[in-house]
Amino acid sequence: MSQTGGDTRHSEADATSNVIEERLRLIIDTIPTIVWRKLPDGSADFLNRNFREYYGPFLGGRAGLGLDECVPS
């Protein structure tokens, strides 16, 4: 197997993975509920559209914050 052939397969796999991720993001953004994904340290690395619209005034629509930081006191 040549190095170029391997790179091509990786590029195709990466492109396919990106398409799948974008489709999943679209699905998650269109469901009528609030969705987020948290990292082991407690910070959020994904916030769907409904989450950003609901909590946006409190966190500026940013991922990377802990959920406790976006709930008003």
Side-chain angles (χ1 to χ4, degrees), residues 10-53:
H10 286 290
S11 296
E12 290 171 2
D14 288 343
T16 301
S17 178
N18 289 341
V19 167
I20 292 169
E21 185 175 335
E22 285 303 314
R23 287 180 182 169
L24 181 57
R25 186 176 304 271
L26 176 64
I27 291 168
I28 292 171
D29 270 343
T30 57
I31 60 175
T33 193
I34 292 174
V35 177
W36 69 96
R37 180 175 64 192
K38 292 180 75 168
L39 298 174
D41 68 1
S43 64
D45 71 337
F46 175 78
L47 311 171
N48 79 335
R49 184 182 62 212
N50 288 332
F51 188 107
R52 293 187 311 269
E53 288 174 359

